[in-house]
Structures are given as C-alpha cells and as structure tokens.
Amino acid sequence: DGGITQSPKYLFRKEGQNVTLSCEQNLNHDAMYWYRQDPGQGLRLIYYSQIVNDFQKGDIAEGYSVSREKKESFPLTVTSAQKNPTAFYLCASRNEVIKRDTEAFFGQGTRLTVV
Amino acid sequence: EDQVTQSPEALRLQEGESSSLNCSYTVSGLRGLFWYRQDPGKGPEFLFTLYSAGEEKEKERLKATLTKKESFLHITAPKPEDSATYLCAVRAYNQGGKLIFGQGTELSVKP
C-alpha cells in the first residue's frame, strides 16, 4: 500500500543525546515536511523539502537538522541543542503539481519524550 | 505575516446538533486552503481542499466553504464518531511549499 511511514512510534531520549526520526514515503511525492505538535497548539513547521538535495528551514528549525538524499526519505535529527524536544512529530509529503495545489498526506507520528 | 486562526478552540455538541467551525486566514495570495481531521495520537487525515472564494465541498455530514477571509466547516447532525480535532491549513503563493496550520478546533459529540 502507498503511504508515509514514520518510525519509531515512541522514542525516549536522554538529556544531551541526538536522536533521528525516520520518515519514508512510497507515493513518489516531491515535497516532504516535518511538523512539531504540542498539546493545545497547531502544527509548527520545522523543515521542508521540495526536491532531493534541497531543503528549507521552517518556523522552528533551531535544534533540528534534516537531509534529503533520496526522494523517498526525509529523516529528522533532534539535536542536543533543542531545549524542549518532548513533542509529537509529524512527517508529511505532497505531490507538486504546477497548475493546482495538492493536499499533504501525513504519517502516524512519532512521540518523542526526554527522560 | 501569513496567519491562520481557528475558532472556537473547543466545541461540545449533542448528537444531531449542527454547528460550524471557523478558520480565518491572512495571506498575501491564497493558493489553497485545506481541512484535516486528527484523532488523538494519530496523524491528520485529509478532508477537503478549497481554492477560490465561493467554492464548496461536501463529504457525508461535513461541508466546507470558502470566502476571501475565512473558511467554515459545517457539521450537519453530527454523530459521536465525528469527535476529533479539525485542523485548517493554507498555502500562499509567496511562501513556496510552506503549509501554515491553525491551532485546531477540538470537537466532542455526545450521544
């Protein structure tokens, strides 16, 4: 089945550790996104990529890093510089079509907790 | 600055009690407005895309409408299974690939 797979579903991080969240899609979509969701808040954009080997910072990129070496994959690393990383992380992808805007499809999320 | 504001933050309805959710947006040029449904602990599920003022889309008990400043998600005769958080997002012409989300409306429908 086509879709977006995020792993792991739950992740625990110790203080000072870097962790990497995986996002893989088999929808052949060009654009991929990482969002962070905190209780009572909307989705905030961390990074996005519209094409392989290129990505842009979103509104809250500090303390995060990404790579886009393959069209199917867009991993997110939460570094020790991110002071408050406990949150629900969502990955999405979208098909870039010139003449109309298209919806983004989301994975099921990774819940990251600092212990 | 492009912005999306949803109201109310939470809405409690009795089964069968129709209502509307609001999404107000401020963008320099709207490319598309999107509605999603999100269940607890899950990723958002796509509902509708609206492109221009006056456009309407329907799906079962849900109907989305769009004006130049806001969008409404009308829920007719809701059922308990409609309980979820509803998210609104916009994409603007001057923002490249960015999708900007509102904070969501948490809907609870009691039997």
Side-chain angles (χ1 to χ4, degrees), chain A residues 9 33 35 37 40-43 45 48 50 58-59 88 90 94 96-98 100-109 111, chain B residues 9 31-34 36 38 41-46 48-49 51 57 85 87 91 95-104:
Chain A
K9 188 171 182 178
Y33 304 79
Y35 287 91
Q37 189 173 34
Q41 295 194 37
L43 277 64
L45 183 63
Y48 66 104
Q50 292 179 270
D59 300 316
F88 189 49
L90 287 160
R94 231 181 95 254
E96 289 278 351
V97 178
I98 296 174
R100 64 182 289 250
D101 210 11
T102 54
E103 66 273 20
F105 293 89
F106 283 84
Q108 290 303 297
R111 187 166 297 281
Chain B
E9 289 187 10
R31 188 163 179 175
L33 184 142
F34 307 88
Y36 288 85
Q38 186 178 25
K42 301 286 182 67
E45 175 187 341
F46 171 72
F48 303 109
T49 307
Y51 296 103
K57 295 270 180 78
T85 296
L87 301 170
R91 189 172 173 219
Q95 291 286 342
K98 283 181 70 173
L99 288 170
I100 303 168
F101 279 82
Q103 77 277 25

Side-chain angles (χ1 to χ4, degrees), chain B:
Chain B
E1 182 184 342
D2 297 334
Q3 198 169 0
V4 179
T5 303
Q6 291 186 247
S7 62
E9 289 187 10
L11 181 62
R12 288 175 173 76
L13 300 174
Q14 289 295 126
E15 185 171 2
E17 180 186 1
S18 301
S19 188
S20 296
L21 282 56
N22 177 264
C23 171
S24 297
Y25 62 92
T26 306
V27 295
S28 54
L30 181 69
R31 188 163 179 175
L33 184 142
F34 307 88
W35 281 99
Y36 288 85
R37 169 193 169 125
Q38 186 178 25
D39 293 302
K42 301 286 182 67
E45 175 187 341
F46 171 72
L47 293 173
F48 303 109
T49 307
L50 300 166
Y51 296 103
S52 56
E55 190 174 1
E56 299 182 351
K57 295 270 180 78
E58 284 190 67
K59 180 180 179 181
E60 296 180 354
R61 294 177 292 282
L62 300 176
K63 179 181 178 180
T65 62
L66 181 65
T67 72
K68 289 186 177 181
K69 294 183 179 181
E70 57 192 350
S71 177
F72 291 94
L73 185 65
H74 307 278
I75 303 176
T76 302
K79 298 182 178 181
E81 53 262 42
D82 294 322
S83 298
T85 296
Y86 291 85
L87 301 170
C88 172
V90 299
R91 189 172 173 219
Y93 278 102
N94 67 343
Q95 291 286 342
K98 283 181 70 173
L99 288 170
I100 303 168
F101 279 82
Q103 77 277 25
T105 293
E106 186 178 354
L107 174 66
S108 175
V109 182
K110 299 298 183 185

Side-chain angles (χ1 to χ4, degrees), chain A residues 5-11 13 18-24 34-35 46 64-66 73-79 85 87-91 109-112:
Chain A
T5 303
Q6 289 187 242
S7 62
K9 188 171 182 178
Y10 299 97
L11 186 58
R13 191 194 94 166
N18 291 357
V19 291
T20 297
L21 283 59
S22 170
C23 178
E24 303 277 333
W34 274 106
Y35 287 91
I46 304 172
Y64 299 98
S65 66
V66 293
S73 179
F74 192 40
L76 174 73
T77 297
V78 184
T79 75
F88 189 49
Y89 290 86
L90 287 160
C91 178
T110 293
R111 187 166 297 281
L112 174 64

